[in-house]
Amino acid sequence: MENRKLRNIGIIAHVDAGKTTTTERVLYYTGARHRLGEVHDGAATMDFDPQERARGITINSAATTVHWREHQINLIDTPGHIDFNIEVNRSLRVLDGAVVVFDGVAGVEPQTETNWRLADRYRVPRLAFVNKLDRVGADFHRVVGMIRERLGVEALVTQLPIGQEDRFIGLVDLLSRETWLWPDDKAGPAQRLPVAEEMQAEVEQHRALLVEALVGHDDALLEAWLAGETLPLVSLRRVLRQVTLQGKAVPVLLGSAFRNRGVEPLLDAVVDYLPAPEDVQRELDASVTGPFAALAFKVTHDEHGTLTWLRVYRGQLEAGSTLLNVNRQRRERVSRVYEMHASERVERPRLQAGDIVAVTGLKDTVTGETLTALDQPLLLEQIEAPEPVLDVAVEPRSRADQQNLLKGLQVLVQEDPSLRLRTDPESGQLLLSGMGELQLEVTLEKLRSRFRVEVNTGQPRVAYRETPTQGVVQRQVFRKQTGGPGQFAEVQLQLEPLPRGEGLQFESRITGGAIPREFIPGVEQGFRQAAQAGVLAGYPVVDCKVVLLDGSYHERDSSVQAFEQVAAQAFRAAMLQAKPVLLEPTMTVEVVTPLAYVGDCIGDLNRRRGQVRQQEPQGTGMMIVAQVPLREMFGYIGQLRALTSGRASFSMQFDQLEPVPVQVQASLLA
């Protein structure tokens, strides 16, 4: 099948590296917008949410469609802030390629590394775009070195900058030996010229390095190169595309999106080097003629109803057709199909393989579920949301708002799978859990603005977890006799600790019908329900496995509910004997400070139970990377400003769950 001229790409980066500005320039140069929208003016097309415009950051991933060189490019602009990482996760799950934007001064930042690992996990081919080369301290070659060292990737330099900092005016394409010059800041087309004489030696030196790297991936080209033949430009570009699609290397491009420099060559590279849907290796072929299969990767609600975002992997479908939700085994009807342009919708009659669209009419489908033709079900890989690290207690200011509060929170949790909602078993409070203070703040603001619910909240609290540290075998009998039929169930469970991040697992080793097969799901359900509140302080239990070894039943008095009850009791009894400990979220904290304050910053991190992992120069300052418990990071920004006269900055992201030290656990439980 001939590849369609279609690219599904995302723009990803650390917060403030210039993703949304880059996207705005893409809209302008492709003719999708006739006026430049600026993030700092609150006029960016892709940041259409009122909170995004007020805060000057991207909170929601936004999709649009543009056209360049007869190719359709479906583009998703994603958030850079760690609190909204679920948006990057679910976008990368359904995209074919990505442009990773790097700050030309800061280089590889923590969230860039997280996003890069996500792209590795989903095997998404990438381009690197080193942005902001007009800024003081920008250093293209230093950033390329960081990409190679920190991300462990073969970074292929395909362009060289002309000038640096405020004298950055253009670039040279190493393969075509062509200069692109932007003489002013206006968003006009570049001048395309031969390489200037004073740059020819540097260009030939870097071009030779690029060609040598490429011919190593192609035997025919290598033979021609060793024989001293001139290698055709089309062959070099073909190999560069091939190594990009295979994930063996990443082309590095450069520019300054804010100054309108480097965007057209970036668009050329998207078309030349990133995959069409048919280029991506999947379990199912991407044909338009096969049976329909799509993944729901996002759900949003507005005044018009529910929008479900789909990536279509195979087949085609008319609006008004009925599908099967494979996860729930329920039929769903697609009412209307829309191509999205940020907040604007363009109705379409059908959807087909390769499309990223939004549909209305689906009532029971949530993020990560598969939709297929009724008679051809299959299950696509789901989207896993990270575990939340912060809790906040939420209650309505008036009793009349109780129902609206619950309704609003349920909608917001459905939209953002990294949020969780539960009731504290001890206090009875409603707890909203998320990835950070900013995410919780934004969610509560949505409650006020969208659902007209005023809420009282407690201080954010660390979302501790509980886990066993040793294996236990527990036998438990549940017997209840009332006036009528009784209840009976008996189980023998083995509780085992698991490595960090393994979650909850269940296995049945029942043989010979000691417990009938229909009762075994009740055992798993009882264990999972009991694990929602641990035995130390009521925090959810993680990273353990329950194995059902043995049991017995009564023909008349046993039921699924009885086995749920006995499993919950057995699990709690086993946990009490398994020497449980509290786990706390620890964060990777990256502080950039002037050299004069390095000692003060390290001392302060040590006082917060932090462990400094590395220090390295960054520009005129120093970057300190440390692992610090989240509990100790509340109020850190104020202290950091006081220590450094307001000259230092920091970012942090979740690293892993670690056991709480004995003395800290004792004070928490007290």
Side-chain angles (χ1 to χ4, degrees), residues 390 437 460-462 608 629-637:
L390 271 188
E437 290 179 88
R461 306 182 312 183
V462 173
R608 295 170 186 271
L630 174 61
R631 178 176 189 247
E632 310 296 338
M633 291 301 294
F634 290 126
Y636 181 62
I637 186 62

Side-chain angles (χ1 to χ4, degrees), residues 2 13 78-79 86 134-135 147 152 181 184 192 197 200 220 245 276 284 301 411 415 429 497 500 544-545 568 643:
E2 186 184 341
T78 65
I86 183 65
D134 59 309
R135 290 181 60 201
I147 292 171
L181 281 183
D184 54 40
R192 297 172 73 165
E197 195 173 328
Q200 280 184 349
L245 298 191
L284 66 166
H301 301 79
V411 166
E415 289 185 351
Q429 287 179 304
R500 291 293 152 264
C544 69
K545 181 177 182 178
L643 281 174

Side-chain angles (χ1 to χ4, degrees), residues 292-305:
F292 186 84
L295 186 77
F297 70 95
K298 184 171 176 171
V299 177
T300 57
H301 301 79
D302 60 20
E303 64 273 17
H304 304 298

Side-chain angles (χ1 to χ4, degrees), residues 32-54:
R33 285 286 176 277
H34 302 293
R35 183 179 64 83
L36 290 175
E38 302 293 5
V39 176
H40 58 269
D41 292 336
T45 305
M46 302 300 277
D47 285 350
F48 56 86
D49 184 289
Q51 287 206 64
E52 293 178 317
R53 296 196 162 178

